[in-house]
Amino acid sequence: MPVPSPAPPRPQAADPLPRCGVCGTGSRQPPFRPSPPEQAPDLDLRPGEPVRSTMSRWLQQCPSCGYAAPNITKAHPAAAQAVAAAPFRALLAEAGYPPLARRFLVWAHVLEETGALHAAAEATLQAAWVADDLGKDDLARMWRLDAVALWRGGPPLDPEQTVRVIDALRRAEAWADASATGEALGLADPPEAVAQVLSLELRLIAARDAGRHTVASALPPPARRPHVTHQKLAGRGEGFVAKLKRWLGRG
């Protein structure tokens, strides 16, 4: 009787769960693809709706080690050391901070530890946006000032970035610093769109107005759908959605 040949090995199913780039833990992480905002962004370039309300989906977070990033399957070689260190663990456990804000702050911490200071400033500013939504003004002010320090600690800022620093200082009620930074930028002959936003910022600073204002206030019209001029304020000619996709690792 012929001996039956062994059955061919079954191909192993692909792992359906993305694995953390720091600790290797698999977890469900819904993908996020932002749609274009329909409303003008704030002066600090927080996007208008519907993107504005999707912040809880901008970052993934490992349920095991706490590493947070736009895509947790990717990690800088130095990220594991940053995640294992005491400052990261303390920040992760800080019960006085809103959970979503902590997610942005631990990502900012990893970015800072790996030398990406401007990206760390962006993530810290986004934590301030979370605090804004929750009415936690003291935290929002603190994180805006932290973001400014990170921006200033990194490579030289271009005019588009500098006007966002001015807005962060104004929103944090750092009036003298905001005014001096704005006057210095004005003397540097910034691009026309930046100059228009700067003019509004200086008026708001003079009025001691620390509130939220949109780019449409400086560059009307239109107010509902951002004009191409508004989009260029996102930095280096790219719109906010393109910038957000790049920041999320999908651009």
Side-chain angles (χ1 to χ4, degrees):
M1 178 180 295
V3 178
S5 59
R10 294 181 180 178
Q12 293 187 353
D15 188 346
L17 300 179
R19 296 201 166 271
C20 176
V22 169
C23 70
T25 300
S27 60
R28 296 190 181 279
Q29 302 289 342
F32 173 56
R33 298 186 181 279
S35 57
E38 296 182 2
Q39 297 176 345
D42 292 356
L43 290 175
D44 63 4
L45 296 186
R46 181 175 181 180
E49 297 293 2
V51 181
R52 186 182 190 87
S53 298
T54 62
M55 289 190 68
S56 63
R57 298 164 56 201
W58 291 7
L59 293 179
Q60 300 175 354
Q61 187 162 30
C62 176
S64 179
C65 69
Y67 173 61
N71 181 351
I72 60 169
T73 66
K74 300 177 181 179
H76 188 282
Q81 182 177 354
V83 167
F88 182 96
R89 310 316 302 176
L91 187 56
L92 195 64
E94 178 53 72
Y97 296 166
L100 180 57
R102 286 203 305 268
R103 196 184 310 167
F104 284 100
L105 291 171
V106 296
W107 172 228
H109 178 77
V110 170
L111 289 167
E112 182 180 4
E113 290 298 300
T114 55
L117 298 186
H118 284 184
E122 295 282 351
T124 304
L125 178 63
Q126 287 152 4
W129 296 347
V130 175
D132 288 338
D133 291 346
L134 297 175
K136 296 186 177 295
D137 296 338
D138 289 345
L139 291 178
R141 281 193 290 270
M142 178 175 70
W143 292 332
R144 280 188 166 89
L145 293 176
D146 289 346
V148 168
L150 288 164
W151 266 315
R152 287 173 166 171
L157 298 168
D158 62 25
E160 290 84 358
Q161 293 168 318
T162 302
V163 81
R164 297 181 71 208
V165 167
I166 294 165
D167 188 76
L169 290 168
R170 177 184 65 81
R171 297 288 301 273
E173 301 181 17
W175 304 116
D177 195 352
S179 180
T181 305
E183 290 173 3
L185 178 58
L187 293 173
D189 192 23
E192 181 181 356
V194 175
Q196 288 179 272
V197 175
L198 175 61
S199 178
L200 173 60
E201 290 281 10
L202 290 174
R203 293 197 301 272
L204 295 172
I205 292 165
R208 294 295 190 267
D209 183 340
R212 172 199 169 205
H213 294 270
T214 70
V215 171
S217 302
L219 302 173
R224 182 176 179 273
R225 188 174 297 277
H227 188 269
V228 65
T229 309
H230 302 167
Q231 298 288 345
K232 289 181 179 178
L233 285 171
R236 295 183 174 86
E238 62 181 343
F240 184 88
V241 172
K243 181 174 183 177
L244 184 59
K245 286 180 178 178
R246 178 170 58 79
W247 180 71
L248 292 173
R250 297 184 175 89

